[in-house]
Amino acid sequence: MTPALTVRPLWQRFLVFLLPLMLANILQSLSGTINNIYVGQLIGVEGLAAVSVFFPITIFLISFVIGISAGATVLIGQAWGAGNIDRVKEVVGTTLTMAFLGGLVVAVIGIFFTPAVIRLLGAPDNILDSAVQYGRIMLIGMPALFVFVISTSVLRGVGDTVTPLIALLLSIAVGLVVTPALIQGWLGLPALGVRAAAVATIAGFLCVLVFLFIYMRARRHPLAPDAVLLRNLRIKLPILLLVMRIGIPSAVQTVVTSVAAIVIVGLVNRFGSDATAAYGAVNQVLNYVQFPAMSIAIAASIFSAQAIGAGQAHLLGAITRTALISNLVLTGSLAALAYAFSRHVIELFITDPQVVDLAQRLLHIVLWSVVLFGASATLAGVMRASGTVLVPMLFAMISIVLIELPVAILLSRTSLGLEGIWWGYVAAFLSVLLMNAVYYQRIWKKKSISALI
């Protein structure tokens, strides 16, 4: 039996696993914020705009890799639960190889086609050259980024959230030092301007990969690079197909969510710059409130996969209840704090009193529904651990394409105006929770659950 399923009460083990995962998600977001502050303060508005132009491509690529890593994590969790470390390394080897090769393909595209991609994104002429320089370096560095994302994900599959947290802290530390040094040309380094942000990002990932190699071997970590893992650094088609079967629906769902966000931004922009500023501030707050919800869903999926692998499917109900209660307590408490101090929080991003009032109204509409989002993500994560991915993906797409967007569009044209867009979010979170809950209770719980690998 895996250590993740023994000894301490379930809620204690869940929290021990969850807290470093939550902190890592928060730090990941902070690292991007800090990077943008450096660029904006040391280079200026045009530098920040050049970096921002490439942001949709970064989100798309990372979202897809995270989706694929979700498939690998389920299989690793099941194999780890069964105590089959050799099988774990087969999945890790195949997934890392696939990630590296995929990154190489993106890098080649970056070498030759970055200008065309940046023009397709509609970059203004005054920042076109800077955006191309930044984008090309980011694309060339994608092999390192892809391997970094997969490496931290597979560690969580064997119940380790501390090592990924340490790795992320190192990556952030490198960025904090290297980014301003390369922007300003400190210590005799070349002054790279906007390219510094991309170089520092990739340097951080490379440093982390070197650190993980040394640290995990020194700690004799179960996934430390050894002869067995190195032999498995190749594509094994049956494992690859299983990873893709679980991972691609998750990736597609994430990409659809990103595209929907672009549509929502377009709706918001019609109400003027104040509305756009309020939208940005509210999203900043929502992102941090959502971190516990997303982390709990990941933890629920991994714990469930380990239980299935260990032949203890009877624990799935207890894992689901623990995750749902954790979401209610942690996400709910954070949402309550955000309500209580909403004006102070929004004033961290906005100073105009009228825009602060607007953002506060919008935040009050949607904030409570993040708890619904967390509950839905938890149910989807538990079901994903058994290989059930298409139905939750379908529910998510229905809630976005057929509920969120139509409701946002229609209500924004009524007397509700801008507020109607935020009721679209509420409608989507509520509907996807109802769909997942009914399917989980009426159909999925009655299925015979067995390991996929």
Side-chain angles (χ1 to χ4, degrees):
M1 186 183 296
T2 175
L5 300 174
T6 58
V7 187
R8 289 178 293 183
L10 176 60
W11 68 269
Q12 290 184 8
R13 288 180 269 121
F14 198 83
L15 285 179
V16 168
F17 181 91
L18 177 64
L19 293 179
L21 179 59
M22 286 173 51
L23 183 56
N25 283 333
I26 292 170
L27 288 174
Q28 184 73 62
S29 181
L30 281 175
S31 68
T33 302
I34 292 169
N35 198 48
N36 285 340
I37 289 173
Y38 273 143
V39 172
Q41 293 295 323
L42 299 179
I43 299 177
V45 174
E46 289 191 358
L48 185 58
V51 172
S52 300
V53 164
F54 193 74
F55 185 70
I57 298 296
T58 304
I59 290 296
F60 173 82
L61 292 171
I62 292 178
S63 297
F64 196 81
V65 175
I66 289 175
I68 296 300
S69 72
T73 302
V74 166
L75 298 180
I76 290 166
Q78 290 190 1
W80 180 252
N84 191 342
I85 188 64
D86 288 339
R87 197 66 164 162
V88 168
K89 291 184 177 182
E90 288 180 356
V91 178
V92 172
T94 293
T95 309
L96 284 174
T97 303
M98 177 180 62
F100 181 72
L101 294 177
L104 283 181
V105 171
V106 174
V108 171
I109 293 173
I111 292 172
F112 296 104
F113 299 106
T114 299
V117 171
I118 297 299
R119 288 192 184 93
L120 186 63
L121 291 172
D125 291 339
N126 63 317
I127 63 168
L128 183 61
D129 288 342
S130 296
V132 168
Q133 292 172 15
Y134 175 84
R136 178 171 281 135
I137 294 172
M138 286 297 295
L139 289 174
I140 291 174
M142 282 299 156
L145 173 58
F146 285 9
V147 172
F148 170 81
V149 172
I150 295 297
S151 297
T152 52
S153 296
V154 299
L155 286 168
R156 294 174 183 132
V158 298
D160 182 3
T161 53
V162 174
T163 302
L165 176 59
I166 295 172
L168 183 59
L169 287 170
L170 175 60
S171 174
I172 292 172
V174 171
L176 286 173
V177 175
V178 175
T179 303
L182 289 178
I183 289 176
Q184 301 286 73
W186 295 344
L187 303 175
L189 294 171
L192 298 181
V194 72
R195 291 172 294 172
V199 172
T201 298
I202 303 306
F205 294 142
L206 290 173
C207 288
V208 165
L209 293 176
V210 172
F211 161 77
L212 287 175
F213 182 89
I214 297 171
Y215 177 81
M216 291 169 65
R217 285 183 66 89
R219 295 289 298 258
R220 297 186 178 179
H221 194 282
L223 293 186
D226 57 13
V228 177
L229 182 57
L230 293 176
R231 283 199 303 270
N232 282 294
L233 286 177
R234 55 193 176 92
I235 299 291
K236 293 190 176 181
L237 189 58
I239 293 176
L240 175 62
L241 293 176
L242 274 175
V243 170
M244 301 294 277
R245 172 191 155 190
I246 301 172
I248 285 183
S250 299
V252 169
Q253 178 181 328
T254 308
V255 170
V256 169
T257 302
S258 301
V259 173
I262 295 173
V263 176
I264 292 294
V265 170
L267 291 176
V268 171
N269 288 343
R270 289 170 36 211
F271 290 88
S273 59
D274 284 357
T276 303
Y279 170 85
V282 172
N283 266 7
Q284 286 284 342
V285 178
L286 285 180
N287 283 341
Y288 285 98
V289 177
Q290 283 178 341
F291 284 141
M294 294 186 292
S295 301
I296 289 165
I298 293 170
S301 183
I302 292 172
F303 270 63
S304 298
Q306 291 180 355
I308 292 169
Q312 297 180 335
H314 63 277
L315 293 177
L316 294 177
I319 292 170
T320 305
R321 286 191 298 274
T322 300
L324 290 174
I325 293 171
S326 299
N327 173 68
L328 184 61
V329 173
L330 296 176
T331 309
S333 297
L334 197 55
L337 285 172
Y339 270 115
F341 300 99
S342 57
R343 189 169 191 86
H344 300 292
V345 173
I346 290 168
E347 286 175 342
L348 294 174
F349 307 99
I350 298 174
T351 55
D352 187 314
Q354 288 186 330
V355 182
V356 170
D357 289 339
L358 174 60
Q360 190 175 23
R361 291 202 308 274
L362 299 178
L363 186 63
H364 286 176
I365 290 172
V366 74
L367 190 54
W368 65 274
S369 65
V370 176
V371 179
L372 305 182
F373 162 80
S376 174
T378 292
L379 294 176
V382 172
M383 291 189 285
R384 182 173 62 245
S386 70
T388 301
V389 287
L390 289 177
V391 173
M393 179 201 75
L394 180 62
F395 290 159
M397 295 182 71
I398 289 172
S399 72
I400 293 169
V401 177
L402 299 183
I403 297 176
E404 177 188 334
L405 294 181
V407 168
I409 292 170
L410 291 174
L411 292 185
S412 68
R413 295 174 178 173
T414 69
S415 59
L416 288 173
L418 181 64
E419 294 182 4
I421 296 174
W422 297 95
W423 282 110
Y425 282 108
V426 174
F429 291 158
L430 177 59
S431 62
V432 74
L433 173 58
L434 291 175
M435 287 186 284
N436 275 324
V438 170
Y439 183 81
Y440 172 87
Q441 191 68 31
R442 297 291 181 87
I443 298 175
W444 185 83
K445 282 181 68 175
K446 298 177 182 179
K447 287 185 175 183
S448 175
I449 306 296
S450 57
L452 300 171
I453 193 168

